[in-house]
Amino acid sequence: MAQGDDPGDVAIHSDARLAVLVRKNHSYVRLSTPEPPPKAPDPAAKLTTTPNTPPPSSTALIHHDTRVVYNGKGYRVQIYSGPDRNKAIAVKSEFMRRNPGVSTYLFYVAPAFRVKVGDYRTQRDAEGMLREANSLFSPCMIVPDMVTISTY
């Protein structure tokens, strides 16, 4: 015993490879290994966070340089819903030809094929596309959906 050691101290050393041999309630138990100490911040690195920035909510907001991506609940305009797959493909192709910059989606939800266009965060944002789509495709309606919006 080294000088200054408390006789009640016990040091346990384990090998992480032994974790696969340890079983508890018919499931494997992973032995924890110590984490490396955190790295010191680089003084040359620029701070990209701003004070008073609210924490992210349930929707994901990711900042990549000048691009902002929103992934969460939003709206799309449904321009076709019916059982005919060929007509759904034709409607999608025609819309894409007339509106090359607008995202277009084809879904199959039994028993109907659905063509939806756009990625909008609010119903009000989708109303302009609804007016435009109603002039060519009928009936059209705004439907809630999970959307991804990229701004460059």
Side-chain angles (χ1 to χ4, degrees):
M1 186 178 330
Q3 187 176 13
D5 285 344
D6 186 357
D9 289 346
V10 176
I12 299 174
H13 300 278
S14 65
D15 189 343
R17 293 175 289 182
L18 294 175
V20 295
L21 300 176
V22 178
R23 294 190 69 151
K24 184 175 182 181
N25 295 334
H26 303 289
S27 63
Y28 290 105
V29 176
R30 179 176 290 163
L31 298 176
S32 62
T33 57
E35 294 182 13
K39 295 181 180 179
D42 183 12
K46 295 179 182 178
L47 293 177
T48 58
T49 59
T50 58
N52 301 328
T53 303
S57 63
S58 61
T59 58
L61 285 176
I62 307 165
H63 298 278
H64 297 286
D65 297 332
T66 58
R67 185 173 89 176
V68 177
V69 177
Y70 168 78
N71 187 13
K73 294 180 181 179
Y75 298 90
R76 290 190 173 128
V77 177
Q78 182 172 293
I79 61 174
Y80 176 78
S81 178
D84 188 359
R85 180 176 187 261
N86 292 329
K87 184 172 180 184
I89 292 171
V91 167
K92 179 182 178 194
S93 298
E94 177 66 18
F95 183 86
M96 289 172 63
R97 187 182 65 77
R98 292 177 181 258
N99 303 288
V102 180
S103 302
T104 309
Y105 307 92
L106 174 63
F107 299 99
Y108 178 72
V109 179
F113 290 92
R114 295 189 173 128
V115 178
K116 299 177 186 179
V117 298
D119 292 308
Y120 303 100
R121 196 161 180 182
T122 65
Q123 274 186 298
R124 176 165 275 167
D125 295 341
E127 287 173 358
M129 178 55 69
L130 177 66
R131 283 191 295 276
E132 184 179 331
N134 263 333
S135 65
L136 301 170
F137 309 97
S138 186
C140 297
M141 63 182 176
I142 297 173
V143 293
D145 210 340
M146 297 301 288
V147 299
T148 300
I149 302 171
S150 300
T151 308
Y152 295 95

